């Protein structure tokens, strides 16, 4: 099956922070892959902007090296690399000063799609928006892309929204949550709303509970300084896990338009029940032979920031009345996975004599690794011995179902950037969504701060603190295993 390429119009994409880690590791290699896939239209240009002194040639060299490091495969296609390099330009700009802006204005074309990617810290968003406006650069249909973190609480997120709103309409703003660009996240919507099979069962009559797990084996690494001010709740739950929860729980939108989808997601966030401390576990990883402890990693011996969090919440609406949603995420756990498990209720009555085990259908949606879906079903154990029942997974790994070699799956950043160019906001967070997510998150954080809560220590390579198991056991449930 050949990859379907949707043509996009020519564009000028300005990447503020074009020399930074994100630009070099994700954005530019991603765009180069789209170039290889034939999705970069003739004349498309990418303009890196940052303070470092550099000309176009030096920038091209820097980016060629970055692509070689972060995507050696694509860097071997010399024709593609040559073409991609020709599309690159560089402008020296300090977001907080006025130099360089006239050069950018002169370079930009007026009659193509134009997007400004703010791949810099949020403290510069206001400066960038202000100067783009002040120097007469922006046009009404320009797009602006902003990176996470979008605030660290409701007040700061509101301020960022207000700063952007001074110069851009909401329809121009693309707030990135790269989780939404993942193939399987979109498949989540395809599975739910493209099949007749699941939707009738997708409610409190049939679903016992839902688990969302995002586990990492790595620690905070070089991000310690940033992470220690943030923690798992702000860094992962408020955005990525919340977005997954929305997609799994939202009502069917009446169409796939950006606002139809985002309206439904917003309703989910607004219906989220506050989390009380009985249903919340925070943790910090200890040291082991493979690495230092969390506190050593962040160089803060008294840190109370969590590298692990598990919680239970509810969505207070008709569809989900009484159905708990469990979420957990952490670093240095036993495996790397992002999985959503929809655990269906027990069979009310078994007709098979001697069968006393609890057979449950579980629909597991794997975002990574091995993107795919498996459905746990109960079958007869093959062989003699009567009707002995076992649970087996019906596994559909997407790479097996379609020829992954030929279907060139774009990674999250590639997809999202191309959506910006196409003007499709469906996979981006709207301002009110982000604020609603913080409005739910803030009291949880304030609660543990007021209580002086200290995170529980957990062994690296485990599933997190013992209390996280208790969170489930108290409800007569258990976490699904994190596969190694
Ligand atoms: P970084 O490596 O520190 O890069 C920052 C970039 O901003 C550099 O290009 C820097 O270049 C430029 N810059 C800094 N101050 C500037 C100013 N006053 N005017 C113009 N340019 C300026 O940061 P990053 O990792 O790329 O992250 C960028 C943003 O994305 C951050 O908000 C981060 O939280 C977010 N993010 C990053 C990742 C990731 O994987 N790295 C993932 C998700 C979100 P000069 O020093 O040359 O000016």
């Amino acid at each position: 099956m050949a990859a379907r390429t949707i043509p996009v119009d020519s564009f000028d994409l300005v990447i503020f922070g074009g020399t930074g880690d994100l630009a070099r590791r994700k954005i530019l290699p991603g765009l180069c892959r789209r170039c290889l896939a034939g999705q970069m239209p003739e004349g498309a240009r990418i303009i890196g902007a940052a303070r470092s002194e550099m000309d176009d040639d030096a920038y091209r060299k820097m980016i060629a090296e970055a692509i070689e490091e972060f995507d050696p495969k694509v860097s071997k296609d010399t024709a593609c690399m040559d073409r991609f390099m020709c599309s690159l330009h560089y402008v020296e700009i300090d977001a907080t000063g006025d130099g360089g802006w006239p050069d950018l204005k002169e370079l930009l074309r007026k009659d193509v799609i134009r997007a400004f990617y703010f791949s810099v810290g949020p403290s510069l968003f206001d400066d960038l928006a202000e100067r783009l406006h002040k120097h007469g650069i922006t046009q009404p249909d320009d797009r602006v892309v902003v990176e996470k973190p979008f605030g660290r609480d409701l007040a700061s997120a509101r301020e960022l929204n207000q700063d952007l709103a001074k110069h851009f309409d909401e329809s121009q703003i693309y707030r990135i949550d790269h989780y939404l660009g993942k193939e399987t996240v979109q498949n989540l919507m395809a599975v739910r709303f493209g099949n007749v099979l699941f939707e009738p069962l997708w409610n409190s009559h049939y679903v016992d509970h839902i688990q969302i797990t995002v586990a990492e084996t790595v620690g905070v690494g070089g991000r310690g300084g940033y992470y220690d001010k943030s923690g798992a709740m702000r860094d992962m739950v408020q955005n990525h896990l919340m977005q997954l929860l929305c997609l799994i729980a939202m009502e069917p939108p009446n169409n796939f338009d950006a606002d139809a989808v985002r309206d439904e997601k917003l309703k989910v966030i607004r219906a989220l029940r506050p989390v009380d401390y009985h249903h919340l576990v925070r943790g910090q990883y200890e040291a082991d032979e493979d690495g230092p402890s969390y506190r050593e990693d962040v160089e803060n011996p008294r840190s109370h920031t969590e590298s692990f969090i598990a919680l239970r919440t509810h969505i207070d609406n008709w569809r989900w009345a009484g159905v708990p949603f469990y979420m957990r995420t952490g670093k240095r756990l036993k495996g790397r996975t992002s999985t959503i498990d929809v655990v269906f209720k027990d069979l009310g009555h078994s007709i098979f004599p001697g069968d006393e085990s609890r057979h449950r259908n579980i629909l597991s949606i794997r975002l990574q690794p091995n993107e795919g879906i498996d459905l746990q079903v109960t079958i007869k154990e093959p062989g003699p011995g009567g009707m002995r029942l076992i649970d087996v997974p019906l596994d559909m790994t997407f790479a097996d179902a379609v020829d992954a070699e030929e279907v060139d799956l774009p990674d999250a950043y590639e997809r999202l950037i191309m959506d910006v160019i196409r003007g499709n906001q469906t996979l981006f967070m709207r301002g009110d969504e982000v604020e609603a997510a913080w409005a739910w998150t803030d009291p949880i954080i304030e609660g543990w701060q007021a209580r002086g809560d200290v995170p529980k220590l957990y062994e690296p390579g485990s599933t997190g603190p013992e209390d996280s198991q208790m969170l489930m056991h108290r409800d007569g449930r258990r976490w699904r295993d994190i596969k190694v």
Side-chain angles (χ1 to χ4, degrees):
M1 195 193 302
R4 198 163 72 99
T5 38
I6 301 167
V8 292
D9 294 328
S10 196
F11 61 82
D12 279 353
L13 169 66
V14 181
I15 306 175
F16 292 107
T19 57
D21 176 70
L22 182 65
R24 285 182 295 111
R25 210 155 47 82
K26 288 281 179 193
I27 304 173
L28 286 150
L31 283 162
C32 191
R33 282 192 292 276
R34 287 300 90 205
C35 183
L36 185 64
Q39 280 197 313
M40 282 269 280
E42 271 314 308
R45 294 186 314 176
I46 298 153
I47 300 156
R51 292 167 305 180
S52 306
E53 272 182 42
M54 222 182 285
D55 59 12
D56 285 356
D57 284 343
Y59 188 58
R60 287 171 184 163
K61 186 164 174 287
M62 173 194 245
I63 300 309
E65 283 167 7
I67 295 172
E68 216 166 290
E69 182 179 351
F70 297 113
D71 194 338
K73 197 169 149 208
V74 71
S75 77
K76 291 203 173 61
D77 191 313
T78 46
C80 163
M81 282 294 274
D82 287 348
R83 191 169 154 234
F84 187 67
M85 287 302 133
C86 287
S87 73
L88 292 182
H89 300 266
Y90 183 78
V91 182
E92 245 176 78
I93 279 186
D94 183 344
T96 60
D98 286 319
W101 294 96
D103 302 337
L104 179 62
K105 185 174 181 181
E106 199 182 309
L107 186 60
L108 286 171
R109 295 169 292 179
K110 287 198 159 56
D111 54 350
V112 293
I113 291 166
R114 294 145 39 116
F116 301 97
Y117 196 132
F118 292 4
S119 179
V120 292
S123 61
L124 293 177
F125 290 179
D126 191 29
D127 286 309
L128 288 174
E130 180 72 39
R131 283 185 168 73
L132 280 167
H133 177 73
K134 177 176 158 189
H135 290 277
I137 295 176
T138 42
Q139 300 181 162
D141 51 359
D142 284 349
R143 288 137 209 195
V144 56
V145 185
V146 292
E147 262 300 333
K148 86 166 208 185
F150 200 84
R152 54 174 286 106
D153 53 20
L154 177 57
S156 54
R158 259 193 196 138
E159 202 179 318
L160 287 176
N161 275 338
Q162 284 160 3
D163 290 342
L164 292 172
K166 279 188 261 168
H167 305 296
F168 298 99
D169 185 72
E170 182 62 37
S171 62
Q172 295 178 273
I173 303 171
Y174 292 71
R175 293 176 196 78
I176 286 214
D177 182 332
H178 73 271
Y179 258 62
L180 287 178
K182 287 179 187 288
E183 186 71 17
T184 330
V185 172
Q186 289 165 78
N187 248 318
L188 203 61
M189 289 187 273
V191 166
R192 277 198 64 191
F193 305 127
N195 293 287
V196 74
L197 205 61
F198 300 112
E199 204 46 31
L201 307 179
W202 217 258
N203 56 55
S204 60
H205 296 298
Y206 296 98
V207 175
D208 178 75
H209 71 279
I210 290 178
Q211 305 184 10
I212 302 176
T213 298
V214 177
E216 294 175 271
T217 50
V218 293
V220 296
R223 292 174 71 219
Y226 158 75
Y227 194 92
D228 201 40
K229 293 194 196 78
S230 164
M233 186 71 177
R234 288 191 174 99
D235 192 48
M236 297 296 292
V237 177
Q238 184 273 344
N239 39 62
H240 306 322
L241 277 83
M242 177 82 82
Q243 289 296 319
L244 300 181
L245 177 95
C246 285
L247 295 176
I248 206 89
M250 71 185 188
E251 295 300 314
N254 67 329
N255 58 45
F256 200 52
D257 284 352
D259 276 332
V261 172
R262 298 189 300 178
D263 285 346
E264 296 307 334
K265 281 163 58 194
L266 179 62
K267 286 184 209 161
V268 173
I269 304 175
R270 289 191 172 151
L272 275 179
R273 194 183 293 178
V275 175
D276 70 61
Y277 71 95
H278 296 296
H279 300 119
L280 176 76
V281 178
R282 297 194 312 131
Q284 264 182 3
Y285 56 82
E286 299 178 287
D288 69 354
E289 62 277 10
D290 295 328
S293 69
Y294 173 79
R295 289 179 175 190
E296 287 162 339
D297 261 345
V298 300
E299 296 174 7
N300 178 2
R302 283 199 289 277
S303 172
H304 285 177
T305 304
E306 73 288 353
S307 61
F308 174 95
I309 192 162
L311 60 85
R312 186 189 97 177
T313 185
H314 284 262
I315 297 169
D316 286 325
N317 64 16
W318 271 34
R319 183 188 284 264
W320 297 114
V323 178
F325 285 73
Y326 299 92
M327 298 198 264
R328 68 177 162 167
T329 180
K331 295 191 176 291
R332 295 221 61 201
L333 298 178
K334 68 185 266 200
R336 173 177 168 262
T337 184
S338 298
T339 307
I340 302 167
D341 295 296
V342 181
V343 181
F344 290 92
K345 290 191 168 165
D346 288 350
L347 211 56
H349 166 74
S350 176
I351 63 167
F352 305 107
D355 176 47
E356 279 162 16
S357 37
R358 293 167 81 189
H359 297 291
R360 287 191 151 177
N361 296 122
I362 301 174
L363 180 70
S364 299
I365 302 154
R366 292 189 306 273
L367 273 67
Q368 63 186 24
N370 306 326
E371 299 189 333
I373 286 177
D374 79 48
L375 177 64
Q376 179 174 291
V377 291
T378 303
I379 60 164
K380 177 187 170 300
E381 190 173 357
M387 286 297 280
R388 283 175 290 117
L389 303 185
I390 50 167
D391 296 327
V392 293
L394 282 180
D395 188 346
M396 193 183 96
T397 299
F398 295 149
D400 297 340
V402 288
D403 189 344
E405 284 291 306
E406 284 193 37
V407 180
D408 167 37
L409 295 181
D411 95 345
Y413 272 98
E414 293 167 58
R415 182 191 312 278
L416 292 173
I417 296 168
M418 293 329 257
D419 274 0
V420 172
I421 304 299
R422 292 189 194 101
N424 182 356
Q425 288 184 304
T426 310
L427 300 177
F428 297 84
M429 292 177 296
R430 211 168 52 191
D432 50 4
E433 244 186 285
V434 179
E435 289 187 17
W438 281 119
W440 177 78
T441 310
D442 277 2
I444 304 175
I445 296 176
E446 285 157 10
W448 78 55
Q449 284 172 343
R451 286 194 310 277
D453 176 89
V454 179
K456 303 277 184 311
L457 297 179
Y458 62 92
E459 267 177 52
S462 69
T463 56
E466 193 51 37
D467 286 19
S468 124
Q469 302 301 330
M470 292 305 297
L471 175 80
M472 280 287 200
H473 292 172
R474 279 203 310 267
D475 293 349
R477 301 186 174 96
R478 58 170 59 181
W479 288 109
R480 302 272 289 154
D481 194 21
I482 296 174
K483 294 216 171 64
V484 181

